[in-house]
Amino acid sequence: MTDTPPLAEGYEISVDRDRIDRERVHRWLSTDAYWALGREREQQDRAIDGSLNFGVYDTVSGEQVAYARVITDRATFAWLCDVYVDPAVRGKGIGTAFVAAVRDHLRPYGMKRILLATHDAHGVYEKLGFGPLEKPDQWMALYFRTS
């Protein structure tokens, strides 16, 4: 597994759910994230409440600049999702360092794998040890369709 890249100077990572700027996270995801466009605020709040949350914050202003959450039992399963970096700070390596920190936070739990889905960031995740499913034919999904 690759080394953990350092977070850019002037930023810090926190797992304190109370520190999450829920309004900002909802705005980011519901208006700019292809996987969550149109997500209702109440649904986003439930997702935050039921997940292990991570935020990146500017150490001077305290402003949140990135978000990710993990759905996990902290023993056997983890799903990394809703990874988002504010466009104003992209290009500083924050996303890569952030996901590496999430990965490293989960490592002591002893899980066999961390899952994620991405349409466009395979290269970022591959640098951190993620790869395609070894046996995709063993995975299934149940889709609830709305009309």
Side-chain angles (χ1 to χ4, degrees):
M1 194 129 331
T2 61
D3 292 328
T4 301
L7 190 60
E9 188 173 335
Y11 297 94
E12 64 183 355
I13 297 171
S14 174
V15 295
D16 182 355
R17 182 184 308 152
D18 294 334
R19 203 167 167 194
I20 300 295
D21 183 338
R22 290 172 180 250
E23 178 59 37
R24 176 174 290 206
V25 168
H26 176 254
R27 185 176 66 253
W28 283 338
L29 297 178
S30 68
T31 65
D32 192 41
Y34 66 85
W35 64 90
L37 293 175
R39 185 181 289 170
E40 297 292 327
R41 171 66 191 269
E42 185 270 333
Q43 186 180 33
Q44 181 62 48
D45 284 342
R46 283 195 333 261
I48 289 170
D49 292 340
S51 301
L52 176 59
N53 297 272
F54 296 81
V56 177
Y57 302 88
D58 182 298
T59 56
V60 175
S61 69
E63 181 177 79
Q64 186 170 352
V65 299
Y67 175 74
R69 68 186 181 93
V70 175
I71 303 163
T72 183
D73 59 8
R74 293 182 173 90
T76 63
F77 176 81
W79 177 271
L80 173 60
C81 55
D82 288 346
V83 179
Y84 188 91
V85 178
D86 189 308
V89 299
R90 290 181 188 165
K92 298 181 179 184
I94 288 172
T96 301
F98 185 33
V99 172
V102 171
R103 175 200 66 197
D104 294 347
H105 182 91
L106 296 172
R107 188 176 310 215
Y109 294 120
M111 293 171 228
K112 289 177 77 173
R113 70 186 63 85
I114 300 168
L115 299 176
L116 66 86
T118 183
H119 176 71
D120 58 355
H122 293 83
V124 172
Y125 294 105
E126 287 170 348
K127 288 188 289 189
L128 299 170
F130 288 86
L133 291 172
E134 289 179 3
K135 298 178 182 178
D137 57 315
Q138 293 182 0
W139 294 86
M140 297 180 72
L142 172 65
Y143 296 95
F144 291 107
R145 305 274 190 227
T146 58
S147 40

